[in-house]
Amino acid sequence: MFKKILASVGIGAATVDTVLETEHLYPGQKFQAKIIIEGGDVSQQVSGLEMALMTRVKVENDDGHYFVNHVIETWKIGEQFDIASGQTKVIPFEARLHSETPITELNAGYNHCHVWLETGLDIDLALDPTDRDTLHIYPNDAIKTCMSAMEKLGFGLVKADVEKGQLRASNFHTVSGCYQELEYRPHSKSLFGIQEVELSFVPEAHRTHVLIELDRAFRSDGYVDLTIEHDQVNLSQLCDQLERLFA
């Protein structure tokens, strides 16, 4: 009985460990994992197993801003089962990352972008044991080329973060409850009078949309957008497109 009481507060309870085939992924990419459940000091009933794709989002209010954890997507894995004391149970798992998963591998002065998987056991009358696995998310070719075009046009990436909310343009919108912003500033005086450019990418299976916020010296902020087809990624063409949008 004493062991059951301890297990109910997490001492000697079952544990969960997610082992990923790789932590280096792209938005929208499939991933594979093994979920290893180790029985604790007593037999326990597991009502469910859940995995969540998580990030940190910036929330703004009248007093400033703060960061909170945000669930991008969740997966329910398996049915109810019992895990005996000392037993090991391995569950193979495969899923696809949400296409709007924020990019974390960025060369920015201030990079506030973090993504991880959190796996939890739902155990009756016990604290939920959880496992956290950091993910390294890389830009797809369209995003990478757009970032190269910005550098070629004389803009440097200074800050990246993920904000709570939704983006909406004429032909696309976000659905994850958050969006990433990459903040660029000109290395020297901009030919277009632009003080700051913020890019937000919304990838789909065959194309990536880009919402661009322009902060100009003598005009109010404005928004423009473009769509990059994945089979037509071209650095020179992207530079020309961006120049026309900035003019």
Side-chain angles (χ1 to χ4, degrees), residues 19 43 47 76 107 110 114-115 123 167 204 213 238:
V19 180
S43 178
S47 301
K76 187 77 174 177
N107 186 21
Y110 297 94
H114 307 280
V115 174
I123 299 176
L167 292 181
E204 296 178 357
E213 182 179 358
L238 261 176

Side-chain angles (χ1 to χ4, degrees), residues 100 163-169 172-179 202 211:
E100 294 173 19
E163 302 210 4
K164 186 176 177 62
Q166 186 183 53
L167 292 181
R168 184 172 292 276
F172 65 90
H173 65 275
T174 57
V175 296
S176 62
C178 65
Y179 58 92
V202 184
L211 184 65

Side-chain angles (χ1 to χ4, degrees), residues 94-114:
E94 180 179 276
R96 187 181 294 276
L97 286 183
H98 199 290
S99 61
E100 294 173 19
T101 303
I103 299 158
T104 63
E105 304 311 294
L106 296 164
N107 186 21
Y110 297 94
N111 184 1
H112 301 290
C113 304
H114 307 280

Side-chain angles (χ1 to χ4, degrees), residues 19-73:
V19 180
L20 294 161
E21 190 173 274
T22 179
E23 299 86 10
H24 301 269
L25 298 162
Y26 294 88
Q29 183 180 345
K30 274 188 178 179
F31 67 95
Q32 291 81 33
K34 290 180 181 178
I35 301 169
I36 303 168
I37 303 152
E38 298 279 358
D41 293 339
V42 294
S43 178
Q44 291 177 288
Q45 186 178 80
V46 179
S47 301
L49 180 63
E50 192 171 81
M51 182 181 289
L53 177 64
M54 308 282 295
T55 189
R56 293 277 287 172
V57 298
K58 183 169 77 173
V59 180
E60 296 188 358
N61 58 25
D62 294 338
D63 298 323
H65 69 266
Y66 58 94
F67 289 88
V68 297
N69 291 347
H70 176 77
V71 179
I72 299 172
E73 189 168 8

Side-chain angles (χ1 to χ4, degrees), residues 190-210:
S190 171
L191 296 175
F192 313 106
I194 294 173
Q195 295 178 314
E196 185 179 284
V197 180
E198 290 182 343
L199 301 185
S200 294
F201 298 99
V202 184
E204 296 178 357
H206 305 294
R207 63 187 62 84
T208 294
H209 304 290
V210 191

